[in-house]
Amino acid sequence: MSRLALLSALFALSGSLFACASRPSPEAADWIARATRTHEASDQALLRGDRSAARRVLAELVNQAPPSQVANDDRRVVLQDACFRLAELELDAQAPRAALGWIEHGLALGRPADVFVANLLVARAQAHERLGDDATATADYHEALVINGALLEQALRAEGNP
Amino acid sequence: MSDGPDREATAEEVAEAAALAEALERGPSAGAALAPPTDALEAAALLRLGRDGGALPADRQRAVLADLLPVVARRRARRWRWLALPTAAALAAAAALFFSLQLHSRPQPVTRRLVPSVALLHAQAEATRPGGGAEPLERQMQTYRERMLAALAERYRGRP
């Protein structure tokens, strides 16, 4: 009897864990929808020539904590992409130090070898270049190109060009 | 002559006497080499009953207890053994199932599913050149960003 109860409890536990792992999340879906709207609003503001509005909406997205239901890697890519856009806006506004602030914020979220990290490294190299720090800029360009090369190999394989 | 009281005891009689002495001292023993004669045992039991009502002396009680305790402990251990093995097996199976589910149900990083296009990577490489513009990169990123956000939205809305 006790064995049966124990096995039933274990199966119930496994089932609930599976249900939790694969359950959709309205909070996370809302946050992704909000990120999508933010980029659209930023694009519209840039089309109007309103850079400060573009910067403001992107900064709001970055500064507000995402819901806990969003997986870490998903949170990282969305926020790193927004940080990259903010850094580019700051560089356009001749504010490389402000750009570095957004870049470091983004890189602090994680540094796997993907397109978002490579973008931030390119932007950081550009910021250091503007600040006259060519050595650091060169190192960042190099790191970005190493990631870029690895991604290019994957892309070529994916597109059927080994 | 040979049946007189002075005759020497036979080996069988000596063994019986020893068994009787043992039985009187500790009670009948299954491990004894030779069982004591039944009539003598009955007489001894009556004698002991008349002497102390059949109660075991303290040292005998301790000896019996010392004999019994390991037997009881072994039986208790055997009683739990039948439960321990299936429980351990069930726990191991549950742990394997849990880690397997964790591995297979964990969503793949979106960047692994959405490989950036060659055009995007070309624009990124161009941005690292002196005087390389950021605009081509931003244009390519816009397309990739839309794909990424759409994929994430599908994941969290629960679509396959």
Side-chain angles (χ1 to χ4, degrees):
Chain A
M1 182 65 187
S2 59
R3 263 189 297 181
L4 189 65
L6 182 67
L7 285 173
S8 304
L10 288 171
F11 278 112
L13 177 69
S14 305
S16 57
L17 286 170
F18 180 75
C20 285
S22 58
R23 189 174 57 194
S25 165
E27 294 89 351
D30 284 349
W31 186 71
I32 298 298
R34 189 188 157 204
T36 306
R37 287 195 303 273
T38 296
H39 283 292
E40 288 167 356
S42 178
D43 292 340
Q44 292 296 319
L46 288 174
L47 282 175
R48 294 195 307 270
D50 189 351
R51 290 184 175 273
S52 67
R55 194 184 301 129
R56 191 182 63 249
V57 291
L58 287 165
E60 280 172 9
L61 177 69
V62 171
N63 289 329
Q64 196 172 354
S68 59
Q69 292 87 347
V70 180
N72 283 341
D73 197 65
D74 297 341
R75 175 189 321 207
R76 176 185 66 78
V77 296
V78 170
L79 294 178
Q80 284 186 336
D81 186 38
C83 285
F84 169 65
R85 290 197 79 182
L86 281 161
E88 289 294 317
L89 285 169
E90 301 291 4
L91 287 171
D92 279 351
Q94 309 302 322
R97 289 196 189 281
L100 281 176
W102 293 116
I103 292 160
E104 296 304 336
H105 184 89
L107 289 175
L109 298 169
R111 295 183 65 157
D114 67 14
V115 72
F116 301 100
V117 170
N119 278 346
L120 287 170
L121 289 169
V122 170
R124 190 164 76 175
Q126 290 167 345
H128 283 303
E129 222 174 6
R130 306 268 177 94
L131 292 167
D133 186 354
D134 289 344
T136 309
T138 303
D140 281 339
Y141 278 135
H142 174 72
E143 194 178 346
L145 281 171
V146 169
I147 296 173
N148 180 274
L151 292 173
L152 190 60
E153 278 185 27
Q154 286 177 28
L156 288 170
R157 273 200 303 271
E159 292 182 13
N161 300 304
Chain B
M1 178 83 182
S2 62
D3 287 342
D6 295 334
R7 72 168 173 81
E8 284 194 9
T10 64
E12 188 183 353
E13 286 168 339
V14 169
E16 280 183 0
L20 180 59
E22 170 83 2
L24 286 172
E25 179 63 25
R26 303 193 56 178
S29 166
L34 184 66
T38 309
D39 52 348
L41 267 182
E42 287 171 356
L46 285 172
L47 281 171
R48 286 182 56 185
L49 194 65
R51 189 177 62 202
D52 54 12
L56 285 176
D59 59 338
R60 175 66 188 132
Q61 284 179 9
R62 281 194 292 275
V64 169
L65 193 63
D67 285 349
L68 286 178
L69 280 178
V71 176
V72 171
R74 274 198 301 275
R75 283 187 183 170
R76 192 172 290 168
R78 273 201 299 270
R79 190 188 308 160
W80 286 103
R81 202 173 300 154
W82 73 268
L83 186 61
L85 202 61
T87 304
L91 282 173
L97 183 66
F98 172 75
F99 287 116
S100 170
L101 286 175
Q102 285 286 301
L103 193 67
H104 292 290
S105 61
R106 185 177 294 166
Q108 215 179 27
V110 72
T111 48
R112 198 171 298 167
R113 285 197 298 146
L114 297 178
V115 178
S117 66
V118 173
L120 165 56
L121 294 168
H122 180 71
Q124 191 178 61
E126 283 296 307
T128 66
R129 290 186 173 194
E135 269 184 37
L137 176 57
E138 178 47 38
R139 269 200 307 277
Q140 292 294 332
M141 274 306 295
Q142 197 164 1
T143 309
Y144 186 70
R145 182 178 301 127
E146 284 168 9
R147 285 172 60 208
M148 172 193 74
L149 290 170
L152 290 176
E154 276 190 12
R155 173 185 295 171
Y156 288 111
R157 278 200 298 263
R159 290 184 187 171

